[in-house]
């Protein structure tokens, strides 16, 4: 499962996608791959999400996961739809346990030292830091690095092209999560050429940071 997560994080950006119309899912999937950002965290915030995950999972070379996974039941919903990885805004012991039972990696949200320790105790080392901008941002993650040497964090929430370097220069941040390259209104409009352009731009910016 760690190898799969390495693939998910390989472009150093994880697009956090809100799909309100499942009919847009196929075009979105193609735009992500064409933009050299072949991964998607489809949030379970809309009724269209399970169908969108199922549609996008059929696209070759695209790693599709589910975000906003709050419960063990949602773990099953997402995995049954085709999600290959899961992301949660917080730490749920029952969701983590169910994900392990289903053999799918889960990245839980953590913002406090106690939550980080709970996740580490559960055998997880790749953690979401959310909402990053509200909990000290890069400064907090830098402090975490000195005490949680085995943990790596994917900050999400308030991350954008303008502050990308502040996060990706930290040794404990392999990637960030964000939606600036997949704006919901642009996806709704079916403007996938723009999504492709934004994705390619974001990947290039992350690669330039080194």
């Amino acid at each position: 499962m760690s190898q799969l997560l390495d693939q998910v994080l390989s472009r150093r950006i994880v697009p956090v996608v809100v799909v309100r119309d499942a009919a847009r899912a196929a075009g979105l999937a193609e735009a992500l791959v064409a933009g050299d950002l072949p991964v998607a965290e489809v949030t379970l915030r809309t009724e269209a999400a399970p169908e969108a995950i199922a549609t996008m999972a059929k696209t070759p070379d695209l790693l599709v996961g589910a975000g906003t996974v709050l419960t063990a039941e949602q773990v099953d919903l997402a995995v049954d739809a085709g999600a290959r990885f899961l992301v949660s805004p917080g730490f749920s012991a029952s969701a983590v346990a169910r994900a392990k039972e289903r053999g799918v990696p889960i990245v839980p949200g953590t913002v406090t030292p106690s939550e980080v320790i709970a996740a580490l105790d559960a055998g997880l080392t790749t953690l979401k830091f959310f909402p990053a901008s509200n909990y000290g941002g890069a400064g907090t993650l830098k402090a975490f690095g000195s005490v949680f040497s085995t943990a790596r964090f994917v900050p999400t929430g308030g991350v954008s092209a303008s502050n990308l370097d502040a996060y990706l220069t930290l040794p404990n941040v392999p990637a960030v999560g964000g939606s600036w390259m997949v704006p919901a209104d642009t996806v709704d409009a079916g403007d996938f050429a723009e999504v492709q352009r934004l994705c390619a731009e974001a990947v290039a910016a992350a690669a330039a940071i080194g």
Side-chain angles (χ1 to χ4, degrees):
M1 288 194 289
S2 61
Q3 186 176 8
L4 178 61
L5 282 180
D6 287 342
Q7 288 181 269
V8 170
L9 305 176
S10 64
R11 296 299 192 276
R12 308 202 74 192
I13 296 174
V14 179
V16 180
V17 181
V18 176
V19 181
R20 293 186 278 240
D21 181 355
R24 299 300 191 192
L28 173 60
E30 293 173 3
L32 288 165
V33 173
D36 194 30
L37 192 50
V39 60
E41 175 193 326
V42 181
T43 66
L44 297 181
R45 302 177 197 169
T46 69
E47 292 183 1
E51 184 180 347
I53 290 170
T55 297
M56 296 173 74
K58 298 174 184 177
T59 301
D61 303 320
L62 183 69
L63 284 169
V64 181
T68 324
V69 177
L70 307 178
T71 66
E73 291 75 18
Q74 286 184 320
V75 169
D76 287 332
L77 174 68
V79 175
D80 289 346
R84 296 182 61 190
F85 66 94
L86 308 171
V87 182
S88 177
F91 180 82
S92 163
S94 60
V96 168
R98 187 59 180 151
K100 288 185 176 182
E101 290 173 0
R102 296 298 301 265
V104 177
I106 186 167
V107 180
T110 57
V111 291
T112 69
S114 294
E115 289 168 345
V116 175
I117 291 171
L120 293 174
D121 282 347
L124 305 175
T125 56
T126 301
L127 312 175
K128 182 174 182 173
F129 183 67
F130 172 84
S133 62
N134 296 85
Y135 284 91
T140 297
L141 290 175
K142 184 177 181 180
F144 278 0
S146 64
V147 290
F148 301 120
S149 60
T150 61
R152 58 182 186 170
F153 299 89
V154 182
T156 309
V159 180
S160 67
S162 64
N163 60 13
L164 198 58
D165 59 336
Y167 290 105
L168 291 183
T169 51
L170 296 174
N172 60 345
V173 176
V176 302
S179 58
W180 76 92
M181 77 300 298
V182 283
D185 290 345
T186 303
V187 174
D188 288 345
D191 188 354
F192 298 122
E194 177 65 2
V195 171
Q196 179 180 336
R197 184 191 71 79
L198 291 171
C199 287
E201 188 178 82
V203 171
I209 293 171

